[in-house]
Amino acid sequence: MRKLKNIELNRISVNEFKTLEKLPVVIVLDNLRSLNNIGSIFRTADSFRIEKIHLCGITATPPHREINKTALGATESVEWVYFPKVVDSVNLLKENGYTIVAVEQMDDSITLENFKPAAYDKLALIFGNEINGVSDNVVDCLDACVEIPQFGTKHSFNVAVSVGILLWHLYLNHITK
Ligand code: SAH
């Protein structure tokens, strides 16, 4: 086996990315404090070609050197918008027909393997702060909550890792069906 060179990966340009159809998923970042996590989420959102990221509350916005350390330019391809209040982001998405799903550890959550949204449903996925999780005032607006099972000693996944797990799950179970 041989590792592929970057040129052999045949990636699309930012301009081409902007013209292509997107996965009907909006990622809502509810008060994320780590700029490296924000950048990492942009990079993953670019790979899965999602529609948009809503950056809410204390979540920092591009351009920012610390975001770009992990985004590696994905802030240029993936659309984003800033909302001072996460509830305003969620209400707007609800008005526009998105199913509002928190990715969080909650009672009454669906475990990820049972999360099978109807194909091409418009989905808003809310991810929470590294310490406090998803804001309490968002919980009343939810259509569903999805929890990723864990089998080790730690309470939670890193938030950027959680985004990756969810998008891959959607790719397998939702996008392609
Ligand atoms: N409340 C957590 C900390 C939040 S982790 C704790 O007590 O440790 C940051 C975010 O990552 C969460 O708000 C959630 O969006 C996501 N997350 C982490 N682990 C998760 C899991 N097992 N299932 C679903 N989401 C998770």
Side-chain angles (χ1 to χ4, degrees), residues 57-166:
I58 67 160
T59 310
T61 57
H64 196 295
R65 210 172 65 98
E66 289 300 312
I67 293 178
N68 211 38
K69 272 189 188 164
T70 47
L72 302 175
T75 51
E76 300 304 312
S77 52
V78 180
E79 270 193 57
W80 61 269
V81 59
Y82 174 74
F83 291 84
K85 291 188 186 148
V86 63
V87 278
D88 291 339
S89 145
V90 172
N91 286 334
L92 183 71
L93 290 161
K94 221 178 186 50
E95 278 167 28
N96 287 300
Y98 285 79
T99 302
I100 311 295
V101 180
V103 182
E104 187 54 277
Q105 297 157 301
M106 283 200 220
D107 62 352
D108 289 336
S109 60
I110 311 164
T111 185
L112 183 59
E113 56 271 36
N114 294 327
F115 179 50
K116 304 247 159 80
Y120 298 102
D121 247 5
K122 296 200 289 183
L123 289 179
L125 300 179
I126 309 171
F127 294 87
N129 173 274
E130 291 87 341
I131 308 289
N132 300 316
V134 169
S135 299
D136 289 332
N137 60 355
V138 162
V139 174
D140 295 337
C141 314
L142 299 178
D143 295 306
C145 179
V146 177
E147 187 165 340
I148 310 161
Q150 296 184 215
F151 309 100
T153 64
K154 303 311 294 178
H155 288 116
S156 60
F157 286 101
N158 168 276
V159 61
V161 170
S162 305
V163 171
I165 295 172
L166 253 290

